[in-house]
Amino acid sequence: MANFLRYVVVTLLLISGLEAKDLGVYGSTSSIGEEDLIDFIKARIQSFSEEDRQQLMQAIQNTFVSTLKRPMEVKGIRKVKEYSVAYFDPSICVDRDILNHKGQIIVKKGTLVNPLSQVSLTQDLLFFDATDSEQLAWAESFASSLKWILVKGQPMQLEENLNRPIYFDQGGSLTKKFGVNQVPARVSQEGLRLKIEFIPVGGKTCANCS
């Protein structure tokens, strides 16, 4: 939210041609909250002409579309050189009592809960860099049941070209959670753990990977 608001403020300044000025200090010098910034933006937009508002909305729309078409690549990801395996235990320690609709405790605070004991991973995940032609061609050799998650590339264009759902690890949330620091990487369920295989391109065939 903060990044979006920062972008809107910058856009407002650029469109309205404002110059930086020392306006002095008015009232408290405490930090400006997000709601104050929203109020400022609303007031600033209301002072715009219809043409300026249209320019602002178009600039924001163009930025969103551009971000969707080419998301920012996940940083710190290298290409796999040697096959290796790691495991991820999704268990969490409940930090408070969990109650049912009658107010009865069904999970006590401090209980170790593994989500995989209740819900299974329905599809294996395949993380890779779609800008690498070798990785892309190799990924296409896998069974279609694998869920593609890109760390770099253009998911919308690729989805249209290949006619299959494609996802992107926005902000590297999944790679950080699973400890995926190299690709291609395949995540599958093995008992109550997730198995993470770092597979060099061509290191395994479709036959023994699908």
Side-chain angles (χ1 to χ4, degrees), residues 7 30 48 57 65 70 119 124 149 162:
Y7 167 75
S30 59
F48 280 7
M57 293 303 106
V65 170
R70 185 184 286 275
V119 181
D124 288 0
I149 303 180
L162 300 179

Side-chain angles (χ1 to χ4, degrees), residues 95-152:
D95 61 1
R96 63 176 65 85
D97 290 338
I98 297 179
L99 313 177
N100 62 14
H101 65 286
K102 295 181 180 180
Q104 300 170 323
I105 297 176
I106 55 176
V107 181
K108 290 185 177 181
K109 177 181 178 181
T111 301
L112 195 64
V113 177
N114 189 322
L116 293 178
S117 65
Q118 302 296 325
V119 181
S120 298
L121 184 66
T122 57
Q123 285 182 286
D124 288 0
L125 313 178
L126 186 63
F127 293 85
F128 68 98
D129 175 0
T131 66
D132 183 333
S133 58
E134 286 187 338
Q135 290 189 47
L136 179 57
W138 179 78
E140 290 185 79
S141 71
F142 282 88
S144 59
S145 60
L146 292 176
K147 180 177 290 186
W148 285 12
I149 303 180
L150 309 186
V151 297
K152 187 178 180 181

